Amino acid sequence: MTYRASWAGAEYEAAPQLREGRVWMRLRRTSPADGFERLEDDLYVRAVPAAECAWVRHVITVCMWRGAPFWVYAEREDELLVEYIGAQVTVARELDLDRIDRGVHRLWVRRAEVCELQEVAVDVANRLYTR
């Protein structure tokens, strides 16, 4: 799960940040550019007001596993931590998922076992900087 933002004609991976009651986007890139601060090798950041971005999107990765819908919560080597989004407790139990909280079921699965892996982006810009 991540955010992306379009600013000054370019698209960036981004993260929202609240500053003095306003939402800013911390834009990330892998090479130097004017106004971007180097944090570490291949990571440069710049904070801009969300209102200055052409768009801001929340991006999640979804997939199917054993015929049920999931979103990818985390990744490691050849495994994905998937969270069930089908909202049927009986299915979650049948799939032997770990119950994390009420209505939240996850499990580490082999990446090769999932299908229909795709990113879904939701435009959230106006929700970030309007009241």
Side-chain angles (χ1 to χ4, degrees):
M1 161 172 53
T2 188
Y3 287 87
R4 293 201 183 117
S6 175
W7 178 76
E11 182 177 333
Y12 299 92
E13 189 171 308
Q17 185 179 59
L18 190 61
R19 289 185 181 181
E20 299 176 7
R22 292 181 60 206
V23 177
W24 288 62
M25 298 305 295
R26 287 178 50 87
L27 309 176
R28 299 181 191 138
R29 56 180 291 134
T30 57
S31 60
D34 286 341
F36 282 78
E37 176 186 349
R38 181 176 182 241
L39 291 185
E40 56 188 55
D41 290 341
D42 299 329
L43 178 59
Y44 298 81
V45 298
R46 178 180 183 153
V48 299
E52 291 182 10
C53 295
W55 52 258
V56 174
R57 294 183 179 131
H58 185 239
V59 181
I60 64 170
T61 302
V62 296
C63 65
M64 296 292 287
W65 181 71
R66 297 191 178 171
F70 289 83
W71 74 280
V72 178
Y73 188 81
E75 300 180 40
R76 65 180 182 202
E77 296 178 19
D78 65 342
E79 292 183 309
L80 301 174
L81 179 57
V82 294
E83 184 172 308
Y84 177 59
I85 55 175
Q88 295 182 23
V89 175
T90 55
V91 172
R93 287 182 185 145
E94 289 170 7
L95 292 171
D96 202 25
L97 303 176
D98 296 329
R99 182 179 185 264
I100 305 304
D101 199 352
R102 184 177 179 171
V104 179
H105 299 85
R106 296 182 188 144
L107 188 69
W108 283 101
V109 300
R110 289 191 6 235
R111 183 183 299 263
E113 294 178 2
V114 304
C115 60
E116 299 180 38
L117 196 63
Q118 60 185 315
E119 286 188 342
V120 176
V122 177
D123 191 359
V124 294
N126 47 350
R127 292 185 184 145
L128 287 175
Y129 53 82
T130 59
R131 293 180 190 239

